[in-house]
Amino acid sequence: MNNIKNFHMSPDEFRKQGKQMIDWIADYYENIEKYPVLSQVQPGDVKAQLPANPPTQSESMEQIMHDVNSIIMPGITHWQSPSFFAYFPSNSSGPSILGDLLSSGLGVQGMLWATSPACTELETLVLDWLAEMLQLPEKFRSTSVGGAVIQDTASSAALTAVLAARERKTNYQTNDTGNLGNLVAYVSGHTHSSVEKAIKIAGIGKNNLRLIGVDQNLAMRSDLLENAIQEDLQVGLIPFFVCASVGTTSTNAMDPITEIGQISKKYQLWMHIDAAMSGTAAICPEFRYLLNGVELADSFSFNPHKWMFTNFDCNCFFVADRSVLIKTLSILPEYLKNQATESGAVFDYRDWHIQLGRRFRSLKLWFVIRHYGVEGLQHHIRTHIKLAQQFAEWIRFSKDFELVAPAPLNLVCFAHKTGNEFNKKLLETINSRGKMYFTHTIINGRYILRMCIGQTHTQEKHVRLAWETIQETANELISNK
Ligand code: PLP
């Protein structure tokens, strides 16, 4: 027996390598500002430097980490850089990384309560904490008729919501018979594309997704929503789902969720609220108004992996009536049957989302909430919003730049007055220099720069430097014309 070769990493080696890895990550965070924020490699560069075939012989961690440093790192875009202002953030934190590491270490697969009771029960608890932090109505709590589940992303949450809405509307028939082809869903032209994807995957058909017009603030117009529903009803179609956004991706527009909720009740639509990034702001009482109307929603989702210091992936999906969700998604093959499930006394989260297996994601969320405390989270969210508002103020008083959409929280949409080509060039030039990273959007044919402040370590000095760089680069481009 003793002669049997074993390729596994021994606990001692793991201990040694693990400590080095933690040091590596700590060094990375300490030095992150030395890297170009946007990776500067060309397509194919990373792959070309790595062997096309897998190694036959075991390699050492030293060799592997050597390649990480020399080949992988240049191909990293540094989402955790304090000068990452692109997209929406995907921020992280020490406690979150440690919670995630512990989850990897435990290697739990929590598909059933029985496959690790703590995985299920901690998740239920932490999500109830979040419901309290966001002041969600009682119905979204596990102690009531609803509840919540951690999913990978807001996209999966949207798909889950669409499926549950479809089944509720068709009396749970579509699961058996396939799609009827006459269900209709509603979003605004600014709703995240994940809802369109969900509509396609759920077999509703893109042609049955109505893009409702928006007002001057790019928020869905509820009068147009109601008109569209009525038109569809008149021709015998079946309206069943509407998604309202608390913070659209392009400009952080806020759909009028109370009005949309009232319409959804009147016509018996499922209202899903997508608050992917901006939902986090509602943990500060002064921003809780953003969720006014959530009591009318059937489901609500937000991503702690965007703006709550919890590393990707972590979406929290709340549902007002868990029985609809479970009825929609429940599958119980023989091999999953067990006493706890049969007793009805436990949640089996496999019935609350698409996939069967699931990671112990609540650990990182629990670590984050306990480490920061609600006060700590509020402090950092407020700081980000304050910095963004300061930036917006600079734009407002600039003679060359202008704000192009309201900036209710931490996203500022702005443009140089010179025009589209210039703004595109400005963005590309700044990003190519690697000191900071912005992305753009197009609104009513206008090319617009977006500055989103939500990275864990962003401070005023980073925002000041960004504003100086934007102005200097614009002046440089003008003088080089
Ligand atoms: N909803 C909104 C408003 C978003 O901004 C995004 C991504 O930025 C998503 C949904 C999709 O997020 P995820 O990557 O979690 O699917």
Side-chain angles (χ1 to χ4, degrees):
M1 282 293 272
N2 286 343
N3 293 335
I4 293 177
K5 192 162 179 188
N6 181 348
F7 292 91
H8 299 308
M9 187 179 272
S10 70
D12 277 348
E13 178 69 0
F14 179 76
R15 197 171 281 118
K16 181 180 137 212
Q17 295 296 345
K19 285 175 182 160
Q20 287 179 16
M21 186 63 84
I22 294 290
D23 280 344
W24 189 99
I25 296 171
D27 289 347
Y28 171 64
Y29 276 86
E30 262 177 8
N31 294 307
I32 199 161
E33 293 185 57
K34 295 185 184 149
Y35 296 93
V37 185
L38 173 66
S39 169
Q40 306 289 313
V41 302
Q42 296 303 311
D45 277 358
V46 174
K47 202 161 162 251
Q49 296 177 73
L50 293 166
N53 305 110
T56 308
Q57 311 265 289
S58 160
E59 295 184 82
S60 69
M61 280 306 288
E62 284 72 24
Q63 286 170 304
I64 299 170
M65 286 310 288
H66 175 269
D67 287 352
V68 166
N69 289 321
S70 61
I71 303 172
I72 302 298
M73 289 310 284
I76 295 294
T77 287
H78 300 278
W79 284 74
Q80 305 312 320
S81 164
S83 296
F84 184 100
F85 302 118
Y87 306 105
F88 277 164
S90 188
N91 68 17
S92 183
S93 65
S96 171
I97 296 167
L98 294 174
D100 211 27
L101 181 62
L102 182 58
S103 167
S104 294
L106 292 171
V108 157
Q109 203 277 55
M111 60 187 172
L112 303 169
W113 176 88
T115 60
S116 262
C119 178
T120 295
E121 293 190 13
L122 187 67
E123 185 160 331
T124 307
L125 176 87
V126 169
L127 290 165
D128 280 341
W129 280 6
L130 276 172
E132 185 179 318
M133 289 159 66
L134 295 168
Q135 294 177 51
L136 294 182
E138 194 58 35
K139 65 179 182 178
F140 288 112
R141 307 201 185 184
S142 69
T143 43
S144 177
V145 289
V149 61
I150 300 180
Q151 308 220 16
D152 51 6
T153 58
S155 304
S156 299
L159 175 57
T160 311
V162 168
L163 293 173
R166 186 192 73 184
E167 289 313 297
R168 186 177 75 178
K169 195 61 167 184
T170 60
N171 219 358
Y172 304 91
Q173 295 301 306
T174 315
N175 265 344
D176 293 336
T177 60
N179 213 337
L180 308 170
N182 53 0
L183 295 173
V184 190
Y186 305 84
V187 293
S188 91
H190 289 259
T191 306
H192 191 265
S193 52
S194 51
V195 180
E196 179 186 326
K197 201 183 228 182
I199 290 295
K200 292 202 262 187
I201 298 171
I204 306 303
K206 198 178 145 193
N207 293 346
N208 292 330
L209 178 66
R210 306 278 179 264
L211 301 189
I212 304 301
V214 293
D215 63 16
Q216 74 281 7
N217 290 335
L218 307 171
M220 187 191 288
R221 273 183 52 187
S222 55
D223 57 327
L224 297 183
L225 171 68
E226 186 157 17
N227 291 347
I229 292 173
Q230 285 174 348
E231 278 170 25
D232 285 326
L233 284 169
Q234 270 162 21
V235 294
L237 296 172
I238 307 174
F240 82 108
F241 177 86
V242 59
C243 177
S245 304
V246 173
T248 59
T249 313
S250 260
T251 64
N252 223 4
M254 304 289 169
D255 289 339
I257 55 179
T258 301
E259 290 167 25
I260 296 172
Q262 282 160 352
I263 293 169
S264 69
K265 288 280 171 257
K266 183 168 165 192
Y267 296 95
Q268 293 169 352
L269 273 66
W270 180 292
M271 176 166 75
H272 174 63
I273 296 180
D274 175 7
M277 177 186 71
S278 301
T280 298
I283 63 179
C284 303
E286 67 274 31
F287 298 114
R288 171 58 178 76
Y289 74 92
L290 294 168
L291 301 188
N292 287 350
V294 66
E295 62 281 1
L296 299 167
D298 293 288
S299 54
F300 165 85
S301 115
F302 87 111
N303 284 349
H305 75 222
K306 279 189 161 47
W307 194 21
M308 219 185 88
F309 315 105
T310 308
N311 58 307
F312 196 90
D313 49 4
C314 185
N315 165 272
C316 298
F317 176 70
F318 293 82
V319 66
D321 180 353
R322 63 178 175 264
S323 71
V324 179
L325 193 61
I326 294 170
K327 233 167 135 181
T328 299
L329 298 174
S330 184
I331 290 276
L332 190 55
E334 186 58 34
Y335 84 100
L336 293 179
K337 290 185 180 158
N338 66 86
Q339 255 185 7
T341 298
E342 273 155 32
S343 76
V346 301
F347 287 164
D348 289 318
Y349 278 127
R350 70 159 208 281
D351 289 335
W352 294 54
H353 52 42
I354 310 295
Q355 84 278 13
L356 171 65
R358 58 201 325 276
R359 304 175 56 216
F360 197 168
R361 289 196 191 89
S362 59
L363 269 179
K364 61 185 173 189
L365 207 42
W366 189 50
F367 275 37
V368 166
I369 298 171
R370 291 187 67 176
H371 170 87
Y372 284 92
V374 176
E375 267 183 21
L377 293 170
Q378 289 170 337
H379 169 80
H380 289 290
I381 296 302
R382 284 178 181 135
T383 304
H384 288 155
I385 295 172
K386 213 168 123 206
L387 290 174
Q389 294 306 316
Q390 170 74 80
F391 183 82
E393 202 59 11
W394 292 332
I395 300 278
R396 224 172 261 128
F397 285 101
S398 148
K399 65 178 184 6
D400 299 324
F401 289 87
E402 60 189 333
L403 288 178
V404 289
L409 297 171
N410 61 333
L411 175 70
V412 183
C413 294
F414 64 103
H416 196 276
K417 293 177 184 163
T418 309
N420 283 0
E421 275 313 305
F422 185 84
N423 279 300
K424 190 160 185 271
K425 182 88 185 131
L426 178 61
L427 182 87
E428 284 168 1
T429 308
I430 294 172
N431 287 345
S432 70
R433 293 180 178 167
K435 294 273 178 234
M436 53 202 63
Y437 182 28
F438 300 93
T439 46
H440 79 285
T441 187
I442 293 196
I443 301 292
N444 299 328
R446 255 189 106 176
Y447 188 99
I448 284 155
L449 282 69
R450 298 167 71 265
M451 165 97 171
C452 193
I453 300 176
Q455 212 296 314
T456 310
H457 299 291
T458 302
Q459 300 169 26
E460 187 177 349
K461 65 177 180 184
H462 302 104
V463 180
R464 273 188 192 282
L465 179 67
W467 176 224
E468 281 161 20
T469 306
I470 291 164
Q471 294 173 97
E472 281 165 18
T473 315
N475 291 339
E476 181 192 320
L477 290 178
I478 288 169
S479 57
N480 287 347
K481 253 187 182 174

